[in-house]
């Protein structure tokens, strides 16, 4: 890499070019998942669209692949690479709310905390994820699930337009009337098609105070809790998000001492309508069984969005998988209860998310995101801190995934999977017709697969996708 004219690129940037001998290189190359240890040849810390253009053109001129980092939270490590150019958007975090039109323009490096902090000033929110440090870019491009999805759909369903730097260094705006095929592909097709430097999203009236909390039970009650949630959520108002979560009980005073540090199953509740109405909606959950924790209160939306942050700190070791279950019958419940009772580490979690409501009413071909069936998404989040535990914890996640696939659909949510799974999750997510359409878009905007550090879609003709 010493032969690359890095001074030329460095002088063209408003931001900073970080190379391997730079004193900040090891800090800047680090990502959320401590399992990922990659060494880009160049890291361009961009401060604007012009920096992105200069970096992409430089990479193209010198035949270098390009990785893109928004929030750096890709569990598969897609926000970095070995030997290529890393376009680091983490300094581009501007958020501009248009309260009159219920929309927001957010830069490609912004996190959910950045987005929510500004939209909530106006009592507005865009559907997004569940951990505030997550980058909006990776979340939205692969779909975007979170606590507003039953009422307002996925993050990608609320995308109005996007500014994209393509592989040839051009800047285009994708929307319904401009580059419509690219716009379709960006809503669920991942980071395959270019560097998205800004997103325009639709907002909805939510907050600033919502009802939220956790009702938790001993893990021995998991089968009964899951069956209750299945029946309860089927008719619950769509303002309600109610996910089952297996976790180790934290050492909190509100939890009886005999349950602290033990495995629990909780129902994580968030009601996006008026809190007083929410108290009536969630009462059946609070009255079910014998909970060891019943913590449900009105609180700021931005605080609710941060509730899972302590469970997901930067730098821990992660290996995840995700499976859609078409139903929660006895086989599915027994499988979940078995693994929930056997979490391998106090940091590991299983979340069981109802996938119904608004997300299932979007036409199957309206976006590249392909899963629109009423179902349950299971997120198996293997997380630990001791490298000596890596093989044991990773093997546990892989076996959980295999057993859930045996009672599920084999479909997944790509933001939850890594690149070394035993099955081809990319092909499994998109059917042949959809994959061919995505490959044609890839061919138009990135024919040489410059942007390959993602759940990759090959350009048409490279691997038989085009016809």
């Amino acid at each position: 890499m010493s032969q690359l004219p890095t001074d030329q690129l460095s002088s063209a940037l408003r931001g900073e070019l970080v190379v391997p001998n730079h004193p900040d290189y090891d800090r800047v190359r680090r990502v959320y998942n401590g399992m990922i240890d990659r060494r880009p040849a160049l890291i361009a810390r961009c401060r604007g669209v012009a920096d992105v253009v200069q970096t992409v053109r430089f990479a193209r001129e010198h035949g270098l692949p390009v990785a893109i980092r928004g929030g750096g939270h890709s569990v598969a490590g897609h926000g970095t690479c070995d030997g290529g150019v890393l376009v680091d958007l983490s300094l581009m975090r501007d958020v501009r709310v248009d309260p009159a039109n219920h929309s927001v323009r957010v830069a490609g490096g912004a996190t959910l905390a950045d987005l929510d902090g500004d939209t909530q000033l106006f009592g507005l929110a865009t559907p997004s994820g569940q951990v505030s440090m997550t980058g909006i870019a990776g979340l939205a491009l692969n779909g975007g699930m979170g606590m507003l999805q039953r009422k307002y759909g996925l993050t990608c369903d609320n995308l109005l337009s996007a500014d994209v730097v393509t592989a040839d260094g051009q800047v285009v705006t994708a929307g319904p009337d401009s580059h419509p095929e690219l716009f379709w592909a960006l809503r669920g097709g991942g980071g395959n098609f270019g560097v998205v430097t800004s997103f325009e999203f639709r907002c909805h009236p939510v907050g600033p105070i919502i009802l939220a909390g956790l009702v938790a039970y001993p893990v021995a009650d998991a089968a009964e809790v899951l069956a209750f949630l299945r029946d309860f959520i089927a008719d619950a108002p769509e303002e309600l998000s109610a996910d089952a979560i297996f976790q180790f009980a934290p050492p909190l005073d509100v939890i009886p001492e005999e349950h602290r540090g033990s495995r629990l199953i909780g129902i994580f509740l968030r009601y996006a309508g008026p809190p007083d109405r929410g108290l009536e909606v969630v009462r059946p959950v609070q009255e079910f069984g014998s909970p060891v924790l019943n913590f449900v209160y009105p609180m700021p939306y931005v605080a609710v969005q941060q509730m899972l942050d302590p469970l997901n700190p930067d730098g821990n070791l992660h290996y995840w998988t995700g499976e859609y279950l078409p139903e929660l019958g006895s086989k599915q419940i027994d499988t979940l209860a078995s693994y929930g009772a056997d979490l391998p580490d106090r940091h590991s979690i299983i979340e069981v998310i109802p996938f119904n409501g608004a997300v299932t009413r979007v036409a199957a071909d309206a976006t590249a995101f392909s899963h629109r069936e009423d179902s349950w998404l299971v997120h198996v989040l293997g997380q630990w801190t001791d490298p000596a535990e890596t093989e044991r914890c990773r093997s546990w996640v892989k076996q959980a995934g295999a057993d859930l696939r045996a009672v599920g659909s084999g479909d997944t949510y790509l933001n939850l999977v890594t690149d070394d799974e035993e099955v081809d999750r990319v092909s499994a997510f998109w059917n042949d017709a959809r994959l061919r359409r995505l490959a044609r878009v890839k061919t138009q905007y990135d024919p040489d697969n410059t942007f390959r550090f993602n759940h990759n879609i090959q350009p048409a003709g490279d691997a038989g996708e085009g016809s």
Side-chain angles (χ1 to χ4, degrees):
M1 290 301 158
S2 59
Q3 297 178 356
L4 287 174
T6 54
D7 289 347
Q8 172 188 334
L9 177 59
S10 180
S11 63
L13 299 179
R14 290 176 51 229
E16 182 182 25
L17 186 66
V18 177
V19 295
N21 63 358
H22 191 288
D24 291 334
Y25 177 78
D26 284 330
R27 177 183 63 83
V28 172
R29 72 183 179 91
R30 197 174 301 133
V31 292
Y32 165 70
N33 184 357
M35 289 272 286
I36 306 301
D37 184 24
R38 296 178 184 153
R39 304 185 67 86
L42 305 172
I43 303 173
R45 307 200 72 203
C46 300
R47 289 197 174 273
V49 177
D51 282 2
V52 176
V53 170
Q54 294 287 355
T55 304
V56 170
R57 289 178 178 175
F58 181 90
R60 180 181 178 87
E61 179 182 352
H62 297 283
L64 297 172
V66 176
I68 309 163
R69 176 190 297 165
H73 260 237
S74 165
V75 71
H78 291 157
T80 186
C81 62
D82 281 321
V85 175
L86 174 57
V87 177
D88 183 358
L89 304 178
S90 62
L91 302 179
M92 297 172 56
R93 299 172 64 166
D94 183 54
V95 177
R96 290 181 288 119
V97 183
D98 184 344
N101 290 317
H102 281 201
S103 66
V104 59
R105 173 73 65 176
V106 54
T111 64
L112 306 192
D114 298 325
L115 173 64
D116 295 333
D118 279 39
T119 57
Q120 279 294 284
L121 292 173
F122 305 95
L124 298 172
T126 292
S128 63
Q130 303 195 90
V131 175
S132 73
M133 304 92 76
T134 303
I136 189 64
L139 179 84
L141 292 172
N142 278 308
M145 295 193 187
M147 62 177 162
L148 300 180
Q149 70 182 45
R150 295 185 68 239
K151 178 67 174 179
Y152 297 119
L154 303 174
T155 310
C156 72
D157 298 333
N158 289 272
L159 184 64
L160 300 174
S161 69
D163 293 335
V164 185
V165 177
T166 61
D168 60 359
Q170 302 300 308
V171 182
V172 302
T173 297
D177 302 317
S178 173
H179 300 269
E181 278 296 281
L182 176 59
F183 182 59
W184 173 84
L186 292 174
R187 290 173 292 160
N192 274 281
F193 310 101
V195 184
V196 182
T197 56
S198 71
F199 301 80
E200 181 190 15
F201 292 110
R202 182 183 301 109
C203 296
H204 305 274
V206 175
I209 302 296
I210 69 170
L211 187 75
L214 183 72
V215 181
Y217 308 82
V219 77
D221 298 343
E224 291 81 4
V225 172
L226 289 170
F228 166 78
L229 177 60
R230 174 197 62 203
D231 299 336
F232 170 74
I233 202 66
D235 300 317
E238 292 182 352
E239 289 83 0
L240 180 68
S241 171
D243 306 339
I245 184 167
F246 291 92
Q247 66 177 95
F248 280 82
L252 300 176
D253 291 341
V254 294
I255 297 176
E257 187 173 357
E258 66 269 24
H259 293 289
R260 296 174 197 168
S262 64
R263 297 172 179 86
L264 301 177
I265 179 172
I267 299 180
F268 187 22
L269 298 164
R270 290 145 299 178
Y271 184 79
D276 55 347
R277 168 63 178 145
L279 288 169
E280 298 178 17
V281 171
V282 306
R283 184 170 294 118
V285 180
Q286 296 180 288
E287 294 176 348
F288 174 76
S290 301
V292 300
L293 174 66
N294 190 344
F295 178 87
V296 181
Y297 295 98
M299 58 187 78
Y301 178 89
V302 292
V304 176
Q305 188 68 284
Q306 298 170 10
M307 286 180 71
L308 296 184
D309 287 5
L311 301 179
N312 296 273
D314 280 359
N316 281 0
L317 307 172
H318 291 260
Y319 189 88
W320 299 356
T321 194
E323 304 294 335
Y324 280 109
L325 305 180
E327 61 177 346
L328 276 189
S330 58
K331 291 189 296 185
Q332 291 83 6
I333 287 176
D334 288 348
T335 302
L336 287 166
S338 174
Y339 278 97
D342 189 39
L343 294 172
D345 187 274
R346 66 184 179 87
H347 299 89
S348 295
I349 295 167
I350 296 175
E351 193 167 6
V352 185
I353 304 167
F355 193 87
N356 64 356
V359 289
T360 65
R361 294 194 292 270
V362 176
D365 61 352
T367 68
F369 189 88
S370 71
H371 185 92
R372 297 291 182 178
E373 294 80 20
D374 193 32
S375 54
W376 296 80
L377 175 65
V378 180
H379 180 189
V380 182
L381 193 159
Q383 183 180 183
W384 60 101
T385 58
D386 184 356
E389 295 295 310
T390 293
E391 187 54 39
R392 182 179 68 87
C393 293
R394 184 165 49 192
S395 296
W396 182 88
V397 174
K398 288 186 175 184
Q399 189 60 55
D403 288 348
L404 287 166
R405 281 195 296 278
V407 296
S409 64
D411 200 358
T412 191
Y413 173 41
L414 292 178
N415 266 339
L416 304 185
V417 299
T418 56
D419 290 332
D420 67 338
E421 299 231 357
E422 283 73 13
V423 293
D424 182 357
R425 309 314 295 273
V426 172
S427 295
F429 183 68
W430 293 295
N431 62 27
D432 288 345
R434 193 181 301 268
L435 197 54
R436 285 195 297 270
R437 184 177 177 184
L438 285 163
R440 289 193 293 269
V441 180
K442 178 76 168 179
T443 301
Q444 181 176 354
Y445 293 95
D446 184 18
D448 299 321
N449 205 10
T450 297
F451 305 114
R452 70 190 70 163
F453 300 109
N454 42 52
H455 294 298
N456 195 235
I457 297 164
Q458 297 285 317
D462 279 13
E465 287 88 348
S467 61

